[in-house]
Amino acid sequence: MALMKGAMLYEGKAKKIFETADQGQVIQYFKDDATAFNAQKKGTIVEKGVVNNKVSEKLFRLLEAGGVPTHFVERLNDREMLTKKVTIVPIEVVVRNVVAGSLAKRLGLKEGVAIAPPLIEFYYKNDALGDPLVTEEHIRLMNLAEPATLAQIKDLALRIDKLLVPFFQERQMILVDFKLEFGRHKGRVILADEISPDTCRFWDQKTKESMDKDRFRKDLGKIEEAYQEVLKRVCG
Ligand code: UDP
């Protein structure tokens, strides 16, 4: 039976969310639009939406099998997945296994150095403020999440890292860092959003070359090729 796609509820930078006949479920549509540096840089990565949809499906299934609750219900087609409707906790959770990106820049650390145990950071989801780094005290001050919810989120983020690192290792990829978003569904905290080359840093184990959105951010070329290679290694 074809699923009825209702009104668009939300359009973000890389995805659109549509309502369905079921109040508790939405359709997540993956676009090819790419942005970086708080949307100051804009472009298109051809077929990115298809890659991110399929890679996210694979990783959500892996996490669910590992006991992590996610919003994933089923993949509907190349660019759409059915998900549980959540209220997003306005915090971006970044997990880091290797120094890169803003961590290297902010603290003057050398890119490529291993981080053990993994580092967890929180960013306040607010485009106008440029998603600032926040401490747990800031989160409490602004009441972005209850302390118990935050503790749950941290525990889930570390469990997700433990499941993902070996998965990518088996595919000759280093999971450098990644960003997660969580949401509330029927009183429960579950993983939401996507896990894809847009939201993770992957380095090829042998060449250490970026296989992710850094190729777009830094104009490294072969962007589409890198996304297709991730799809092949993850889902192929
Ligand atoms: N990230 C993301 N969305 C953001 C910011 C970061 O998905 O708005 C991801 C990014 O792809 C990387 C990780 O989070 O895998 C850490 O990013 P970082 O803080 O180093 O920021 P960046 O260097 O990407 O600006």
Side-chain angles (χ1 to χ4, degrees):
M1 193 186 76
L3 198 87
M4 288 296 289
K5 190 152 102 186
M8 189 170 76
L9 293 173
Y10 172 82
E11 177 161 14
K13 284 170 275 196
K15 294 188 292 293
K16 294 178 189 175
I17 306 294
F18 296 91
E19 63 184 6
T20 68
D22 183 336
Q23 290 274 315
Q25 296 188 334
V26 294
I27 291 170
Q28 183 161 259
Y29 175 97
F30 291 78
K31 305 193 281 185
D32 284 352
D33 300 353
T35 61
F37 314 118
N38 199 20
Q40 289 178 70
K41 179 178 175 133
K42 289 191 176 114
T44 301
I45 301 174
V46 177
E47 295 290 284
K48 169 171 86 75
V50 180
V51 172
N52 288 359
N53 189 25
K54 292 182 176 174
V55 167
S56 291
E57 174 195 15
K58 176 78 185 188
L59 299 177
F60 284 141
R61 286 189 188 280
L62 175 95
L63 294 175
E64 287 277 356
V68 173
T70 80
H71 71 158
F72 179 77
V73 177
E74 62 173 320
R75 185 165 63 80
L76 300 171
N77 53 51
D78 270 5
R79 287 182 181 270
E80 293 174 326
M81 65 167 60
L82 184 65
T83 63
K84 292 170 184 151
K85 188 174 184 181
V86 299
T87 308
I88 286 284
V89 177
I91 298 170
E92 298 196 343
V93 181
V94 169
V95 183
R96 300 182 183 271
N97 297 302
V98 177
V99 174
S102 72
L103 178 69
K105 207 170 165 186
R106 185 182 323 109
L107 300 181
L109 299 178
K110 196 167 172 291
E111 281 226 342
V113 176
I115 302 171
L119 180 71
I120 298 191
E121 294 175 337
F122 305 109
Y123 293 84
Y124 173 34
K125 244 176 100 70
N126 184 311
D127 283 338
L129 296 175
D131 296 346
L133 180 71
V134 288
T135 66
E136 289 188 48
E137 284 79 6
H138 293 133
I139 291 170
R140 200 182 317 138
L141 172 75
M142 298 172 71
N143 199 24
L144 300 178
E146 295 293 322
T149 302
L150 196 63
Q152 242 181 305
I153 286 175
K154 266 163 75 172
D155 177 66
L156 285 170
L158 289 174
R159 280 166 54 197
I160 291 165
D161 190 55
K162 278 210 173 77
L163 291 164
L164 294 185
V165 166
F167 174 85
F168 285 104
Q169 208 159 20
E170 284 160 19
R171 285 153 182 82
Q172 281 70 56
M173 295 159 79
I174 300 169
L175 179 60
V176 171
D177 56 34
F178 55 97
K179 185 263 295 178
L180 303 169
E181 293 185 28
F182 294 86
R184 283 195 190 79
H185 176 83
K186 297 185 177 164
R188 220 154 73 107
V189 176
I190 63 177
L191 179 65
D193 196 47
E194 65 180 283
I195 310 179
S196 73
D198 269 15
T199 64
C200 302
R201 283 196 172 92
F202 303 125
W203 292 352
D204 180 81
Q205 219 155 60
K206 241 195 249 145
T207 66
K208 303 288 188 295
E209 274 199 294
S210 293
M211 309 174 64
D212 55 60
K213 206 165 93 174
D214 268 351
R215 302 203 71 82
F216 170 77
R217 292 190 189 99
K218 302 183 188 174
D219 290 317
L220 298 176
K222 298 215 162 113
I223 304 171
E224 276 87 4
E225 288 86 341
Y227 275 70
Q228 290 301 324
E229 180 62 23
V230 171
L231 177 64
K232 198 170 109 187
R233 290 200 202 177
V234 170
C235 301

